[in-house]
Coordinates of all heavy atoms in Angstrom, one line a residue:
S13 N -87.1 -50.4 -52.6 CA -86.6 -49.6 -53.7 C -87.7 -49.3 -54.7 O -88.5 -50.2 -55.1 CB -85.6 -50.4 -54.4 OG -85.0 -49.9 -55.5
Y14 N -87.9 -48.1 -55.2 CA -88.8 -47.5 -56.0 C -88.1 -47.2 -57.4 O -87.2 -46.5 -57.5 CB -89.6 -46.3 -55.5 CG -90.2 -46.6 -54.2 CD1 -89.6 -46.3 -53.1 CD2 -91.6 -47.1 -54.1 CE1 -90.3 -46.4 -51.9 CE2 -92.2 -47.2 -52.8 CZ -91.4 -46.9 -51.8 OH -92.1 -47.2 -50.6
D15 N -88.8 -47.7 -58.6 CA -88.2 -47.4 -59.9 C -89.6 -47.0 -60.6 O -90.4 -47.7 -61.0 CB -87.6 -48.7 -60.4 CG -86.9 -48.3 -61.8 OD1 -86.9 -47.1 -62.2 OD2 -86.5 -49.2 -62.5
F16 N -89.6 -45.7 -60.8 CA -90.9 -45.1 -61.5 C -90.8 -45.3 -63.0 O -89.9 -45.1 -63.5 CB -91.0 -43.6 -61.1 CG -91.2 -43.4 -59.6 CD1 -90.0 -43.3 -58.7 CD2 -92.4 -43.4 -59.1 CE1 -90.2 -43.1 -57.4 CE2 -92.7 -43.1 -57.8 CZ -91.6 -43.0 -56.9
Q17 N -92.1 -45.6 -63.5 CA -92.1 -45.7 -65.0 C -92.4 -44.4 -65.6 O -93.0 -43.4 -65.1 CB -93.3 -46.7 -65.3 CG -93.1 -48.1 -64.8 CD -94.2 -49.0 -65.2 OE1 -95.1 -48.6 -65.8 NE2 -94.1 -50.3 -64.7
D18 N -91.9 -44.2 -66.8 CA -92.1 -43.1 -67.7 C -91.5 -41.9 -67.2 O -91.6 -40.7 -67.7 CB -93.6 -42.8 -67.9 CG -94.4 -43.9 -68.5 OD1 -93.8 -44.6 -69.3 OD2 -95.5 -44.1 -68.2
I19 N -90.6 -41.9 -66.1 CA -89.9 -40.8 -65.6 C -88.6 -41.3 -65.1 O -88.4 -42.5 -64.8 CB -90.5 -40.0 -64.5 CG1 -90.8 -40.8 -63.4 CG2 -91.8 -39.2 -65.1 CD1 -91.4 -39.9 -62.2
S20 N -87.5 -40.4 -65.1 CA -86.2 -40.9 -64.8 C -86.1 -40.6 -63.2 O -85.5 -39.7 -62.7 CB -85.2 -40.2 -65.4 OG -83.8 -40.4 -65.1
R21 N -86.8 -41.4 -62.4 CA -86.7 -41.3 -61.0 C -86.6 -42.6 -60.3 O -87.3 -43.5 -60.6 CB -87.9 -40.6 -60.4 CG -87.9 -40.4 -59.0 CD -89.3 -39.6 -58.5 NE -89.3 -39.8 -57.1 CZ -90.3 -39.5 -56.4 NH1 -91.5 -39.0 -57.0 NH2 -90.6 -39.6 -55.0
E22 N -85.7 -42.7 -59.3 CA -85.5 -44.0 -58.5 C -85.2 -43.6 -57.1 O -84.5 -42.6 -56.7 CB -84.2 -44.7 -59.0 CG -84.3 -45.2 -60.4 CD -83.0 -45.9 -60.8 OE1 -82.1 -46.1 -60.1 OE2 -83.0 -46.4 -62.0
D23 N -86.1 -44.1 -56.1 CA -86.0 -43.8 -54.7 C -85.6 -45.0 -54.0 O -85.9 -46.2 -54.3 CB -87.3 -43.2 -54.3 CG -87.7 -41.9 -54.8 OD1 -86.8 -41.5 -55.7 OD2 -88.7 -41.4 -54.4
E24 N -85.1 -44.8 -52.8 CA -84.8 -46.0 -51.9 C -85.3 -45.4 -50.5 O -85.1 -44.4 -50.1 CB -83.3 -46.2 -51.6 CG -82.8 -46.8 -53.0 CD -81.3 -47.1 -52.8 OE1 -80.6 -46.6 -52.2 OE2 -80.8 -48.0 -53.6
R51 N -85.7 -41.5 -46.8 CA -86.0 -41.7 -48.2 C -84.9 -41.0 -49.0 O -84.8 -39.6 -48.9 CB -87.3 -41.4 -48.7 CG -87.7 -41.7 -50.0 CD -89.2 -41.7 -50.2 NE -89.6 -42.4 -51.4 CZ -90.9 -43.0 -51.6 NH1 -91.6 -42.6 -50.7 NH2 -91.1 -43.5 -52.7
T52 N -84.3 -41.5 -49.9 CA -83.4 -41.0 -50.8 C -83.8 -41.1 -52.3 O -84.5 -42.0 -52.6 CB -81.8 -41.6 -50.8 OG1 -82.0 -43.0 -51.0 CG2 -81.3 -41.3 -49.3
S53 N -83.4 -40.2 -53.2 CA -83.9 -40.2 -54.5 C -82.8 -39.6 -55.3 O -82.0 -38.8 -55.0 CB -85.1 -39.3 -54.6 OG -85.6 -39.3 -56.1
N54 N -82.9 -39.9 -56.7 CA -81.9 -39.4 -57.6 C -82.4 -37.9 -58.0 O -81.7 -37.2 -58.8 CB -81.7 -40.3 -58.9 CG -82.9 -40.5 -59.7 OD1 -84.1 -40.4 -59.2 ND2 -82.9 -40.7 -60.9
I55 N -83.7 -37.6 -57.5 CA -84.1 -36.2 -57.6 C -84.1 -35.5 -56.3 O -84.9 -36.0 -55.4 CB -85.5 -36.2 -58.3 CG1 -85.4 -36.8 -59.7 CG2 -86.1 -34.7 -58.4 CD1 -86.8 -37.0 -60.4
Q56 N -83.1 -34.6 -56.0 CA -82.9 -34.2 -54.5 C -84.3 -33.6 -54.0 O -84.3 -33.8 -52.7 CB -81.9 -33.0 -54.7 CG -81.4 -32.7 -53.3 CD -80.2 -31.8 -53.4 OE1 -79.8 -31.4 -54.4 NE2 -79.6 -31.5 -52.2
D57 N -85.0 -32.9 -54.7 CA -86.3 -32.4 -54.0 C -87.3 -33.5 -53.5 O -88.2 -33.1 -52.7 CB -87.0 -31.5 -55.0 CG -86.4 -30.2 -55.4 OD1 -85.5 -29.8 -54.6 OD2 -86.7 -29.7 -56.3
N58 N -87.1 -34.8 -53.8 CA -87.9 -35.8 -53.4 C -87.3 -36.7 -52.2 O -87.9 -37.6 -51.6 CB -88.2 -36.8 -54.4 CG -89.0 -36.2 -55.5 OD1 -90.0 -35.4 -55.3 ND2 -88.8 -36.4 -56.8
E59 N -86.2 -36.1 -51.6 CA -85.5 -36.7 -50.4 C -86.2 -36.3 -49.1 O -86.5 -35.1 -49.1 CB -84.1 -36.6 -50.6 CG -83.4 -37.3 -51.6 CD -81.8 -37.2 -51.5 OE1 -81.4 -36.3 -50.8 OE2 -81.3 -38.0 -52.3
F60 N -86.3 -37.0 -48.1 CA -86.8 -36.6 -46.9 C -86.4 -37.6 -45.8 O -86.2 -38.7 -45.9 CB -88.2 -36.2 -46.9 CG -89.2 -37.5 -47.2 CD1 -89.6 -38.3 -46.1 CD2 -89.5 -37.9 -48.4 CE1 -90.4 -39.4 -46.4 CE2 -90.4 -39.0 -48.7 CZ -90.8 -39.8 -47.5

Side-chain angles (χ1 to χ4, degrees):
S13 178
Y14 301 93
D15 188 7
F16 294 86
Q17 295 180 2
D18 300 326
I19 60 173
S20 177
R21 178 178 167 193
E22 295 177 6
D23 292 6
E24 293 180 337
R51 189 164 196 159
T52 59
S53 177
N54 63 335
I55 300 175
Q56 189 173 8
D57 290 341
N58 294 319
E59 295 186 341
F60 63 87

